[in-house]
Amino acid sequence: MPLYKSIYIDTSSQILVWKITEPYEELFREVQLNEKSLKRLNGMKSQFHQRAFLSVRKLLQVAGYSDFDLQYDESGKPHLNPNNCHTEPVEVSISHSHSFSTLIISDQRVGIDIEMQRDKIIRIADKFVNNKESLRLGDTNIPDYIKKLTVKWGAKEAIFKIRNGPGISFKDHIWVNSFEILDQKTTATLEMENVKQQFSIYFEEFEGFTLVYAFEN
């Protein structure tokens, strides 16, 4: 399927979303991979993950890049090399979940996550929600309880992708301030050791999925 959604946040920040409907063979034909990526692709045991991997390369093409522009640093954080549109390295963050993949490109420090909204998140909520956050765990009568948990997880995942540091605990070091689903935005804080950092969080929903992205303030 063609590009599912594009979100232009500002002149330097763009989100692209792909709905993965194509078979593996079609996606593989339409992208070019560097040697390292091809080896990584062939090492994947699941064709589901292979299709997600290739769909991200399709998104790079839409954004004017290719797999050859995508580099990973020693901690595994992705970066985009300069091209005709950008003279400096560009920030990029990538995520995929089931039938969707997404990436965000920006000259700011950004992170993105996409998650399917599932009851399963209730069972693991105590692993990532802390007592600084205004959400009573286990109270399924709270309006939009699963959706709010999904936003919190996505926000923390996006922040982790920005900071990408060792020892960060979703539960102990990151808290997301209160919000309502209709707000489509909130703020969050990462605090550990000598670091205290604020983040702006934005989110939206489509087809039972939650897309969350974070900017470092």
Side-chain angles (χ1 to χ4, degrees):
M1 147 169 212
L3 180 69
Y4 178 81
K5 180 186 284 282
S6 59
I7 304 168
Y8 293 92
I9 303 164
D10 54 41
T11 56
S12 65
S13 303
Q14 180 185 13
I15 293 172
L16 300 172
V17 180
W18 194 273
K19 187 170 184 180
I20 311 166
T21 59
E22 307 88 342
Y24 168 86
E25 293 77 13
E26 180 178 338
L27 287 167
F28 185 76
R29 281 196 310 268
E30 295 179 354
V31 300
Q32 290 185 314
L33 301 177
N34 64 44
E35 185 176 343
K36 191 172 183 179
S37 291
L38 185 59
K39 183 178 180 180
R40 183 179 168 192
L41 177 72
N42 290 334
M44 295 177 180
K45 297 180 180 179
S46 164
Q47 193 172 101
F48 172 82
H49 289 104
Q50 289 177 320
R51 291 167 65 221
F53 181 87
L54 292 170
S55 70
V56 169
R57 274 65 196 170
K58 288 288 293 182
L59 289 173
L60 286 172
Q61 288 181 351
V62 173
Y65 292 89
S66 77
D67 183 62
F68 292 87
D69 300 312
L70 186 64
Q71 303 293 329
Y72 291 85
D73 62 23
E74 62 279 359
S75 64
K77 183 177 174 65
H79 300 274
L80 284 173
N81 292 330
N83 66 3
N84 293 333
C85 299
H86 297 88
T87 57
E88 299 293 334
V90 179
E91 292 285 328
V92 61
S93 184
I94 296 166
S95 181
H96 57 81
S97 176
H98 297 267
S99 56
F100 285 98
S101 61
T102 185
L103 60 77
I104 184 170
I105 296 173
S106 179
D107 62 0
Q108 305 175 59
R109 298 192 69 181
V110 291
I112 197 165
D113 189 55
I114 188 167
E115 299 287 342
M116 178 184 282
Q117 298 165 359
R118 297 187 290 173
D119 293 350
K120 177 183 176 181
I121 201 167
I122 296 174
R123 301 197 300 271
I124 63 169
D126 64 335
K127 306 296 184 185
F128 67 91
V129 178
N130 61 56
N131 57 16
K132 293 181 179 180
E133 299 175 273
S134 57
L135 187 65
R136 299 185 305 279
L137 292 182
D139 187 354
T140 55
N141 292 319
I142 296 173
D144 297 321
Y145 183 60
I146 291 174
K147 292 182 177 182
K148 287 180 178 178
L149 286 175
T150 306
V151 170
K152 284 182 178 288
W153 173 267
K156 296 186 182 196
E157 185 71 41
I159 289 169
F160 181 81
K161 290 178 179 179
I162 294 173
R163 298 300 303 188
N164 211 39
I168 295 176
S169 164
F170 283 16
K171 182 170 183 174
D172 298 331
H173 300 140
I174 306 173
W175 66 91
V176 180
N177 291 318
S178 61
F179 62 90
E180 298 299 330
I181 293 299
L182 290 178
D183 296 340
Q184 295 193 305
K185 64 180 180 179
T186 184
T187 56
T189 302
L190 166 68
E191 186 170 5
M192 62 178 294
E193 299 173 351
N194 296 321
V195 175
K196 186 171 184 179
Q197 184 66 51
Q198 305 293 324
F199 298 85
S200 295
I201 307 296
Y202 302 90
F203 55 90
E204 64 175 79
E205 302 174 313
F206 47 83
E207 294 193 24
F209 285 77
T210 299
L211 177 73
V212 188
Y213 51 102
F215 287 89
E216 186 176 80
N217 295 339

